[in-house]
Amino acid sequence: MNNSTPIIRVRNLVKKFGDFVANDHLTFDVFSGEIFGFLGANGAGKTTAIRILCGLSKPTSGEISVAGFNIYNQTEQIKRSIGYMSQKFSLYEDLTIAENIRFYGGIYGLKRKEIKTQTAILLEKLGMNDYRDQLIRDLPLGWRQKLAFSVAIFHNPKIVFLDEPTSGVDPITRRQFWNLIYEAAHNGITVFVTTHYMDEAEYCDRISMMVDGQIVALDSPGKLIQTYNAANMNEVFLKLARSSLTEVKA
Amino acid sequence: MISILAEQIGKSYQHIHALENVSFQVGKGELFGFIGPDGSGKTTLFRILTTLIVPDSGSVTVENLDVLKEYKKLRTMLGYMPGKFSLYPDLTVEENLEFYASIFDTTIQENYHLIRDIYVQIEPFKNRLAGKLSGGMKQKLALSCAMIHKPTVLVLDEPTTGVDAVSRVEFWEMLKKLKSEGVTIVVSTPYMEEAGLCDRVALMQFGKIMKIAPPQQVIDEYRRNLFSVKAENTYKLIEDLQRFPETGSAFPFGQSVHFTPKSPAFFPQMLIDFLLQNDHQNPDVHSIEPGIEDCFMELMTESPDAGDLSKI
């Protein structure tokens, strides 16, 4: 991790929907090659922020750059520099494994020859060579998610955004999935990830905690656990998210 | 006193065995959990219990009623919360609740005491459309709707999936309250740590039950020696553990790695020496008690179906 280069730079990001403030002056940096956990309760404003960082939605105000590009007028360059996957949408169910890889490779402008060699390497690595012609819909969820992640970084993006990538996945596959994340980060890809599994939060280099549209804490898991005098990230999460609930009620 | 009796249930979809020889009993007033990942057969099983689909083989009775022959009577006694949010998004919170009460020929007033603790939390939003609620609030409304006709048996399919850690804790507190009212509750979850909140759990994988026991017994029956391993660089630690000859399994758990050795002759200093030789600073290896997730993974790796795509 190179602490000197922010690959994502966010200053006073505000996003309003009518009177509702979904993102309330978010300010943070994500550094090149780090695994950055973006945590928060349901409805805290995580998805809104991710959509903005991916160039899919415009903020109401704020200064934001992603991979060195401006979020207001360089969204096409941003889209080419990032990868994205979520549990809800990742691969085309009615295409095969090989077809999905070819499709995404093509979308990101890779050459046919490059796609062919890279596909062979990828299938070998994932142990899916014998299943290259299987439709995605026939694959178990864990396989899909591992493949979806590999496809999301197939074009070697600078940053990959993962929105709850492991929801509902079995415990062993979940860990294999994190091995892929570690490997990608090790190879210099910045990982921006959300999760509801608090043990996974502890795999991140740094974590931001969002509550009601604001970032209320940002540090390494070890430091957060220390600061909030907790046994693990689950307790940190409960303390932070709960305290905000009592404030609202009072 | 038995509430649910399932014997040798089988169900296939084309070439996929969704359920194979699934047998279990749930006692009256028990909080019984099905723990397993997506695709392990939990939803298929719950649909059979709630008379929504018919098994290929086997028999099931709920409250002494056969799910095939006496489904009409049984349906009045069941509360079911499907995994996918299934209330009317274009009705308000209150309208949804009124609708479900009227279907079962009752009123909100009549059974309000049953749902009060849950419903008061969403009552301030009773005029909001159900489709506009946050994830945690949707789950609370769905549970209220499933309870409003005072069911004897409550079947909840992954009520906490995708729900944040705070709302999950609150949801389980509500289930405990309902249990104290004498309701039999069957609930499924992919979050292993929630197993500890059930009276008994069934661990499921590939359409089969691997084990049924109280959560503490599942932990007591873990047969391996389990160690927590920590080092400063977790990625390198995992890589190096793959090369360590004594490694039986090594899985990351938060900030440490859970390690089981191949042989009983293993002692921690062996691993500490190995890690020091491989340039790890201050490695820490010590024996720990397993959690449900460790147990589940032990059972998974012993399963003959592990990694076999044709079985899924």
Side-chain angles (χ1 to χ4, degrees):
Chain A
M1 178 168 65
N2 182 354
N3 269 358
S4 58
T5 1
I7 187 108
I8 299 177
R9 188 172 181 279
V10 179
R11 294 292 177 274
N12 289 309
L13 161 57
V14 175
K15 177 72 179 184
K16 292 183 186 167
F17 297 103
D19 291 339
F20 180 70
V21 184
N23 291 158
D24 188 1
H25 293 88
L26 305 184
T27 292
F28 62 94
D29 286 325
V30 178
F31 298 107
S32 202
E34 84 173 328
I35 303 176
F36 189 85
F38 199 58
L39 307 190
N42 300 120
K46 300 188 299 286
T47 304
T48 303
I50 290 178
R51 287 180 55 82
I52 291 169
L53 296 179
C54 290
L56 299 173
S57 146
K58 290 265 188 301
T60 308
S61 62
E63 231 180 274
I64 302 121
S65 74
V66 175
F69 298 111
N70 186 306
I71 206 81
Y72 291 97
N73 50 26
Q74 295 179 300
T75 51
E76 280 316 306
Q77 289 95 317
I78 288 175
K79 285 176 197 166
R80 247 169 260 149
S81 314
I82 64 173
Y84 173 84
M85 81 162 276
S86 75
Q87 196 206 1
K88 281 165 202 125
F89 175 78
S90 43
L91 300 168
Y92 289 92
E93 299 220 330
D94 47 358
L95 295 182
T96 66
I97 291 181
E99 285 166 347
N100 264 287
I101 299 175
R102 202 171 76 209
F103 175 78
Y104 280 99
I107 288 255
Y108 283 110
L110 300 189
K111 297 205 173 66
R112 190 175 289 190
K113 217 172 171 184
E114 206 176 343
I115 293 175
K116 212 174 160 190
T117 30
Q118 288 300 318
T119 301
I121 295 170
L122 178 59
L123 290 177
E124 183 66 39
K125 187 177 112 187
L126 295 174
M128 294 184 187
N129 240 334
D130 294 344
Y131 304 102
R132 56 179 294 136
D133 297 324
Q134 290 261 358
L135 293 180
I136 296 299
R137 76 159 90 91
D138 295 331
L139 295 180
L141 179 71
W143 286 47
R144 280 191 217 190
Q145 295 307 82
K146 277 191 273 185
L147 182 64
F149 177 72
S150 306
V151 166
I153 59 168
F154 195 68
H155 59 296
N156 201 17
K158 292 204 170 72
I159 309 161
V160 62
F161 290 89
L162 309 171
D163 197 359
E164 292 182 33
T166 56
S167 278
V169 175
D170 74 69
I172 291 183
T173 310
R174 210 150 68 73
R175 286 170 172 83
Q176 292 169 343
F177 191 91
W178 271 89
N179 281 346
L180 293 177
I181 293 182
Y182 274 126
E183 189 187 82
H186 191 72
N187 292 333
I189 297 178
T190 306
V191 180
F192 191 99
V193 59
T194 74
T195 180
H196 286 308
Y197 292 96
M198 288 303 126
D199 60 325
E200 294 187 349
E202 294 180 12
Y203 304 154
C204 301
D205 293 315
R206 288 191 308 142
I207 292 166
S208 80
M209 263 289 299
M210 252 181 104
V211 176
D212 300 329
Q214 298 179 332
I215 291 178
V216 295
L218 199 170
D219 217 324
S220 69
K223 289 235 179 74
L224 286 175
I225 288 166
Q226 213 177 357
T227 308
Y228 291 92
N229 196 16
N232 48 41
M233 271 310 296
N234 194 44
E235 277 183 23
V236 173
F237 188 91
L238 293 179
K239 277 186 179 174
L240 284 168
R242 273 242 165 105
S243 67
S244 93
L245 287 177
T246 37
E247 270 169 36
V248 171
K249 276 171 194 162
Chain B
M1 294 275 272
I2 293 172
S3 173
I4 301 174
L5 178 61
E7 287 179 317
Q8 310 262 313
I9 309 177
K11 177 78 184 173
S12 298
Y13 299 105
Q14 291 163 3
H15 60 289
I16 299 163
H17 295 292
L19 293 173
E20 271 184 88
N21 272 327
V22 169
S23 300
F24 63 93
Q25 294 179 8
V26 179
K28 274 192 202 286
E30 190 173 11
L31 177 49
F32 192 96
F34 283 90
I35 318 289
D38 285 9
S40 57
K42 305 187 301 289
T43 298
T44 302
L45 178 62
F46 281 19
R47 287 188 172 165
I48 291 170
L49 296 181
T50 49
T51 77
L52 297 173
I53 59 170
V54 176
D56 299 336
S57 55
S59 68
V60 187
T61 62
V62 179
E63 295 291 311
N64 280 320
L65 299 170
D66 188 291
V67 292
L68 297 181
K69 297 182 196 116
E70 295 161 290
Y71 69 92
K72 277 195 178 159
K73 188 165 178 209
L74 179 53
R75 283 180 184 178
T76 64
M77 302 166 72
L78 285 172
Y80 173 49
M81 188 173 151
K84 199 175 155 222
F85 182 68
S86 301
L87 302 178
Y88 292 91
D90 49 353
L91 293 185
T92 66
V93 167
E94 196 176 29
E95 284 166 347
N96 266 291
L97 195 57
E98 268 169 9
F99 174 76
Y100 282 95
S102 68
I103 282 191
F104 288 99
D105 222 7
T106 182
T107 59
I108 298 179
Q109 290 72 27
E110 199 173 326
N111 291 320
Y112 187 75
H113 64 283
L114 275 177
I115 61 161
R116 190 183 50 220
D117 290 337
I118 312 159
Y119 192 63
V120 287
Q121 300 183 36
I122 46 173
E123 218 165 9
F125 311 100
K126 66 180 181 183
N127 294 321
R128 189 178 290 188
L129 294 183
K132 302 264 178 200
L133 295 175
S134 74
M137 289 205 284
K138 275 182 184 160
Q139 300 304 78
K140 284 167 193 166
L141 176 60
L143 182 60
S144 300
C145 289
M147 280 300 297
I148 195 63
H149 62 295
K150 203 180 180 194
T152 320
V153 179
L154 196 53
V155 179
L156 310 170
D157 192 1
E158 297 207 5
T160 54
T161 293
V163 174
D164 67 67
V166 173
S167 303
R168 282 205 313 258
V169 170
E170 288 175 354
F171 197 87
W172 278 91
E173 281 165 6
M174 288 172 215
L175 292 191
K176 257 192 254 167
K177 273 199 181 134
L178 289 175
K179 179 184 144 64
S180 69
E181 304 255 354
V183 183
T184 302
I185 303 171
V186 178
V187 59
S188 65
T189 177
Y191 297 102
M192 303 283 153
E193 75 270 15
E194 293 182 345
L197 305 164
C198 303
D199 295 324
R200 285 191 303 148
V201 291
L203 304 184
M204 282 193 86
Q205 173 84 341
F206 302 126
K208 290 177 191 162
I209 293 179
M210 301 190 289
K211 193 181 196 81
I212 300 179
Q216 189 55 48
Q217 190 186 328
V218 173
I219 289 168
D220 292 343
E221 286 174 7
Y222 185 79
R223 289 193 307 273
R224 299 183 191 177
N225 292 318
L226 186 67
F227 296 88
S228 160
V229 184
K230 272 192 189 180
E232 268 157 31
N233 185 339
T234 312
Y235 177 67
K236 185 173 183 312
L237 175 63
I238 294 164
E239 276 198 329
D240 288 341
L241 282 173
Q242 309 296 347
R243 294 188 293 109
F244 183 53
E246 266 295 317
T247 300
S249 69
F251 294 114
F253 268 76
Q255 292 183 300
S256 68
V257 173
H258 286 192
F259 166 87
T260 61
K262 270 186 191 147
S263 78
F266 171 83
F267 54 96
Q269 195 60 42
M270 290 164 73
L271 180 52
I272 290 176
D273 291 343
F274 171 81
L275 292 175
L276 287 172
Q277 280 161 24
N278 284 280
D279 304 328
H280 285 278
Q281 311 292 318
N282 309 315
D284 173 59
V285 181
H286 65 271
S287 175
I288 51 163
E289 288 292 307
I292 290 281
E293 193 151 4
D294 295 295
C295 301
F296 193 93
M297 285 158 68
E298 181 197 28
L299 291 166
M300 268 183 88
T301 46
E302 282 169 5
S303 155
D305 302 331
D308 182 355
L309 184 63
S310 63
K311 281 279 180 186
I312 298 161

